[in-house]
Amino acid sequence: MHLTLEDFFRREYLFAGLLAMIVTAMAACGLVGKTLSTGGEQKLKHHEPTPLAAPRVIIFALDGAGYDQLMAAIGSGKAPNMASVLGKDEGNGLYQHAYSTPKALSVLPSSTIANWSSIFTGQPPAWNGVTGDEWFERRTMGFYAPVPVSVEDTTDLTKVVDDDLVGRALTTPTLYAQIPGRSNVSLLSVYKGATLYTTVAPTSLVGMIAGLLAGKAQGESAEKSLSADIDLDSVPKLLDAIGEHGIPNLQVVYFPGIDIYTHEAKDPLRSEVDYLEKVKDKGVGEVLDLYRKDNALDGTYVMFIADHGHIPVMNDHLHALAATGKDTPFELVRQQGFRVRKPTVEVTTSDDDFQAVLAYQGFMAYIYLADRSTCAAPGQKCDWSRPARLQQDVMPIARAFDEANRNGAGVPGLKGSIDLIFARAPAVPGQIAKEYQIYDQGQLVPIYQYLMAHPRPDLIDLDQRMRWLSAGPHGDRAGDILLLSKASMSLPISERYYFCEVPHYSMHGSAEWQDGHVPLILAQVGGSGVKMQALVEKIAGDAPSEKMVTPIVRALFQK
Ligand SMILES: [Zn+2]
């Protein structure tokens, strides 16, 4: 099959995303100085903060590294750099120099942008304003896709790098603004408030694409993959920045490659461990070596964290519920008489009379509905600053998905694909939104009440995590209806479905243990694991989550 460059960008949203970051680095030269033409740095603060003598903290942010996969890599003997930071395994998460929280959870959806936002603000999505890889903002009628899932273009991924899209959407301060001293961020989408932001070099874009396609065709190994190129290319840039400005108090080292590699690997979970051992550990070692060379490694706090894990899925169009075509959730909403927004980042004014918007998150999808009484006639723009009406707008769509799921009514491809349908009485945008409830036989039932009647131990801490996503001043950014597709690891792979324009070998975004159970490791080089455990447990209590990363780091600065 012949693929043009354009086809490639359409089909490979994740790969394309990273490549777009590279292109963006080229386009952003004028804005951020000539160093970006070869990859480089962007100063984010006008006044340089005074460096503090202590503490020094390195956060290795490993995108898509599930808890079991990372711990398997560390314990295998094939990831010596990470393993040496932790020291001897003393059981139950305690290591000689580290504590690995055994039960830390992601926020929902267990996907990239929502989780990094939560990790680096310490606030849940309904409060920090970033609710997913894609979302719709009612008051501005803006659609955002920093990681494109339903849409086909990478416009917003470009804006993540050169226009701080995620930082602009956040309504609560980042960790960098909550600590004194200098903080450098390498590659991560959440960098607002940091001192310095470093990115990869735009090396031979075309060559990389050719290599990627060839690699896919030949089942390329972890260390030779494009993901590895990007991960490892980012390290010299952050090391250069340290060479020029000295060691910062906080260094965030983001590795996006694991997520991309796992999505595309035929045996995703085993391949992820392989990638962590062969690629990630090398990158970690290079950063640690520089600190060691500068006599700055001893006493440095090191964290290993991730945003989500992965669940294996069928890599085909029957299981990837797309945005385009007839057998899709978009089509079902259309059949209920709603004018549905096209799956693109921007729409023209001739298409802005939409009455429904869908945003995809992998195992979850959000549906935003207008009060249709404000825009009954085609061509009439809806008043999105008003909430939809529960009985006239929301319930008919919830009912339609319930029926399609039961018997394939309207859209046969949806039959048996949905696990739970959530809905609620919509709030006025900007006011505290109510938490989601579960649609059960024509009624909306509180989540805890539904779970008492229908226990679901596979959906971990569902009630609280759905409240984090939906109940708050920006809870309306998670839609008026939320679909959770069947994702359970206890189901055969052929019964798992996901909302995504492009099929993959693994997906995330659910409330399952497998994609929501994340590593949260705090170590001090040469320090005491018992002390790390005490510090983490004091903050996280018996319900650790990714939201604890920001308060944990703040505590390191207060010691
Ligand atoms: Zn991710």
Side-chain angles (χ1 to χ4, degrees):
M1 180 176 55
H2 176 70
L3 275 179
T4 63
L5 189 63
E6 235 183 1
D7 289 336
F8 174 81
F9 272 89
R10 261 201 292 278
R11 292 161 56 92
E12 302 294 329
Y13 78 90
L14 277 164
F15 285 104
L18 259 297
L19 292 167
M21 288 174 77
I22 299 166
V23 177
T24 301
M26 288 192 275
C29 290
L31 183 74
V32 299
K34 64 181 169 54
T35 47
L36 271 196
S37 62
T38 54
E41 63 182 50
Q42 178 181 2
K43 280 203 182 67
L44 300 169
K45 286 188 171 165
H46 294 299
H47 302 288
E48 297 249 327
T50 314
L52 303 173
R56 291 182 305 274
V57 183
I58 308 171
I59 299 180
F60 290 102
L62 314 174
D63 201 303
Y67 176 89
D68 288 339
Q69 285 63 49
L70 182 64
M71 298 323 286
I74 289 174
S76 70
K78 296 177 191 164
N81 293 303
M82 292 193 276
S84 72
V85 172
L86 274 62
K88 189 167 161 277
D89 184 353
E90 294 176 355
N92 297 322
L94 182 64
Y95 289 77
Q96 189 182 358
H97 308 299
Y99 180 60
S100 167
T101 318
K103 288 184 177 172
L105 283 173
S106 74
V107 300
L108 294 180
S110 48
S111 59
T112 301
I113 301 292
N115 278 282
W116 291 122
S117 295
S118 219
I119 289 168
F120 283 97
T121 59
Q123 296 295 327
W127 288 84
N128 71 36
V130 174
T131 53
D133 284 347
E134 297 184 341
W135 73 89
F136 178 64
E137 226 276 286
R138 299 180 76 100
R139 280 188 293 192
T140 58
M141 289 179 69
F143 187 87
Y144 299 90
V147 173
V149 188
S150 72
V151 301
E152 299 180 326
D153 64 77
T154 53
T155 309
D156 274 0
L157 215 127
T158 304
K159 287 186 186 167
V160 168
V161 178
D162 71 8
D163 200 24
D164 194 14
L165 183 146
V166 174
R168 286 170 190 273
L170 288 171
T171 57
T172 55
T174 59
L175 167 62
Y176 325 118
Q178 299 178 39
I179 51 172
R182 293 178 60 95
S183 45
N184 292 5
V185 175
S186 165
L187 282 187
L188 185 72
S189 52
V190 184
Y191 55 84
K192 175 181 163 183
T195 314
L196 205 66
Y197 171 50
T198 54
T199 65
V200 291
T203 48
S204 178
L205 179 62
V206 175
M208 275 182 157
I209 292 172
L212 167 67
L213 292 175
K216 280 188 73 178
Q218 295 160 12
E220 194 153 350
S221 62
E223 61 272 39
K224 287 182 185 163
S225 68
L226 173 75
S227 307
D229 282 351
I230 292 169
D231 278 347
L232 296 180
D233 281 358
S234 69
V235 174
K237 305 302 165 193
L238 79 91
L239 298 184
D240 284 353
I242 287 178
E244 190 171 331
H245 305 280
I247 288 178
N249 294 103
L250 171 64
Q251 174 70 59
V252 176
V253 185
Y254 175 58
F255 289 130
I258 319 156
D259 189 41
I260 298 163
Y261 187 74
T262 309
H263 274 298
E264 299 308 313
K266 285 193 177 122
D267 184 359
L269 299 182
R270 194 197 54 74
S271 301
E272 181 171 296
V273 177
D274 194 42
Y275 188 93
L276 286 161
E277 292 168 352
K278 289 183 176 150
V279 179
K280 203 64 34 176
D281 193 62
K282 184 168 180 282
V284 169
E286 287 171 5
V287 177
L288 297 178
D289 280 348
L290 181 82
Y291 276 61
R292 192 176 288 118
K293 204 167 85 269
D294 284 0
N295 289 320
L297 190 58
D298 259 3
T300 293
Y301 295 101
V302 180
M303 294 188 82
F304 296 99
I305 58 171
D307 50 345
H308 56 78
H310 279 257
I311 291 178
V313 290
M314 300 287 282
N315 183 19
D316 64 37
H317 286 285
L318 280 179
H319 296 84
L321 303 170
T324 55
K326 284 291 170 201
D327 219 10
T328 66
F330 278 65
E331 175 60 18
L332 189 68
V333 178
R334 214 172 278 128
Q335 285 177 11
Q336 306 313 306
F338 282 78
R339 298 190 298 270
V340 180
R341 191 185 187 280
K342 286 185 177 168
T344 50
V345 173
E346 303 286 347
V347 292
T348 59
T349 46
S350 61
D351 286 327
D352 68 0
D353 64 342
F354 52 84
Q355 300 165 315
V357 183
L358 280 79
Y360 281 3
Q361 320 295 339
F363 288 125
M364 286 184 173
Y366 304 159
I367 304 173
Y368 307 78
L369 300 167
D371 173 345
R372 285 183 292 173
S373 70
T374 67
C375 49
Q380 209 179 350
K381 204 164 155 181
C382 300
D383 180 1
W384 281 92
S385 66
R386 281 172 60 163
R389 300 160 302 170
L390 181 63
Q391 293 306 331
Q392 295 94 324
D393 305 312
V394 177
M395 292 305 270
I397 296 294
R399 204 174 302 125
F401 275 97
D402 186 50
E403 278 174 23
N405 191 39
R406 283 175 199 283
N407 54 32
V411 174
L414 291 178
K415 187 178 176 186
S417 66
I418 295 168
D419 187 347
L420 290 171
I421 299 166
F422 298 82
R424 54 178 163 182
V428 175
Q431 294 185 2
I432 304 277
K434 292 193 177 112
E435 64 201 69
Y436 265 124
Q437 299 188 315
I438 291 179
Y439 180 90
D440 184 26
Q441 298 177 31
Q443 307 291 322
L444 294 183
V445 181
I447 294 173
Y448 75 89
Q449 200 174 313
Y450 176 90
L451 292 176
M452 280 197 296
H454 313 272
R456 289 295 303 271
D458 56 326
L459 301 176
I460 313 298
D461 207 4
L462 183 70
D463 192 16
Q464 170 164 259
R465 291 161 89 204
M466 286 300 289
R467 208 174 305 123
W468 286 346
L469 172 60
S470 60
H474 306 294
D476 65 296
R477 293 184 188 177
D480 300 306
I481 291 176
L482 184 151
L483 307 173
L484 174 67
S485 62
K486 287 188 177 159
S488 177
M489 287 291 279
S490 62
L491 290 172
I493 190 169
S494 61
E495 291 178 25
R496 298 175 203 153
Y497 294 84
Y498 51 103
F499 302 98
C500 190
E501 180 65 9
V502 181
H504 292 285
Y505 286 105
S506 68
M507 194 37 70
H508 47 83
S510 84
E512 270 278 305
W513 190 240
Q514 172 60 35
D515 57 351
H517 180 207
V518 287
L520 199 174
I521 302 173
L522 175 65
Q524 185 176 28
V525 177
S528 150
V530 173
K531 280 190 184 161
M532 297 301 102
Q533 180 171 9
L535 198 147
V536 170
E537 286 184 341
K538 189 174 164 198
I539 290 163
D542 54 6
S545 84
E546 289 178 325
K547 292 195 294 112
M548 308 302 176
V549 171
T550 281
I552 287 170
V553 175
R554 250 186 355 231
L556 298 176
F557 276 76
Q558 286 160 3
K559 279 169 84 78

